[in-house]
Amino acid sequence: DLWNNRELRTSQMELVEVQADRYVVRLSTSVRPEPATVYFTPQWQPCRTMQNSDKAVCTGSLKFPMQVGDKHTYEKLPWNNGNGHSTASCEVKGEEKLTLAAGTFDTVRVECSGFWNRVYGGTFSGKQSEVAWYAPAISRVVKNEFTNYDAGGKLDVRERSELVEFAAKP
């Protein structure tokens, strides 16, 4: 939580199966320790569904191949809880070396800005921005910063996640 510089939760992701069209990942968090199964495309785009729907939408801030200056847009990516969705335009801004608890990584910086829409539990909308640092050597985002503004432009959410440990299975 960037508001008060506190760790709000931790998460652990484990790749449990590689299928032809998707990765199957086991995810547990300090808030929800019971593991959940989540899916990603082979390009690490999250696959999510809206509430009351079985149709998965697989999209997000990464698009491959990645070259500085590349731009793309994603539309209606459902939230993890399925209550709403996000749409954003993204651009590969540059390459950076990052040092985190998990190590030092050569990364590609991707910046996205767009809008969010809550659909279930009331209709609300606002703006959002995201910066993701992708490390090609381990095929993962190693750092992510997300900012969310309410309909009036007031700061609502500021989060940062960083890779603190990475273990490759033999």
Side-chain angles (χ1 to χ4, degrees), residues 89-100:
S89 295
C90 303
E91 182 176 355
V92 179
K93 290 293 197 170
E95 297 176 353
E96 297 179 19
K97 186 176 287 288
L98 282 185
T99 299
L100 307 167

Side-chain angles (χ1 to χ4, degrees), residues 1-44:
D1 178 1
L2 292 175
W3 275 358
N4 57 25
N5 201 30
R6 284 188 19 220
E7 181 178 284
L8 296 180
R9 63 183 167 268
T10 58
S11 61
Q12 179 177 344
M13 295 176 66
E14 178 185 1
L15 178 63
V16 294
E17 185 179 356
V18 176
Q19 299 177 352
D21 62 339
R22 66 182 179 177
Y23 294 155
V24 181
V25 173
R26 185 174 300 119
L27 172 68
S28 57
T29 70
S30 55
V31 177
R32 292 187 178 156
E34 186 64 33
T37 301
V38 294
Y39 302 95
F40 293 87
T41 68
Q43 293 78 36
W44 286 106

Side-chain angles (χ1 to χ4, degrees), residues 121-146:
T123 303
F124 306 98
S125 63
K127 292 183 179 182
Q128 70 179 37
S129 65
E130 177 183 11
V131 181
W133 287 265
Y134 175 80
I138 63 169
S139 301
R140 293 293 301 145
V141 170
V142 295
K143 182 176 176 181
N144 187 280
E145 292 182 355
F146 178 81

Side-chain angles (χ1 to χ4, degrees), residues 56-129:
V57 175
C58 302
T59 190
S61 58
L62 305 178
K63 183 170 176 140
F64 297 91
M66 247 189 263
Q67 300 290 327
V68 174
D70 286 353
K71 297 178 182 182
H72 76 280
T73 299
Y74 66 85
E75 296 186 12
K76 296 188 175 182
L77 172 64
W79 299 347
N80 289 332
N81 65 10
N83 288 338
H85 54 78
S86 299
T87 297
S89 295
C90 303
E91 182 176 355
V92 179
K93 290 293 197 170
E95 297 176 353
E96 297 179 19
K97 186 176 287 288
L98 282 185
T99 299
L100 307 167
T104 299
F105 301 93
D106 291 321
T107 67
V108 179
R109 179 184 170 121
V110 179
E111 296 182 12
C112 303
S113 62
F115 298 90
W116 60 268
N117 292 285
R118 183 181 180 124
V119 179
Y120 295 97
T123 303
F124 306 98
S125 63
K127 292 183 179 182
Q128 70 179 37
S129 65

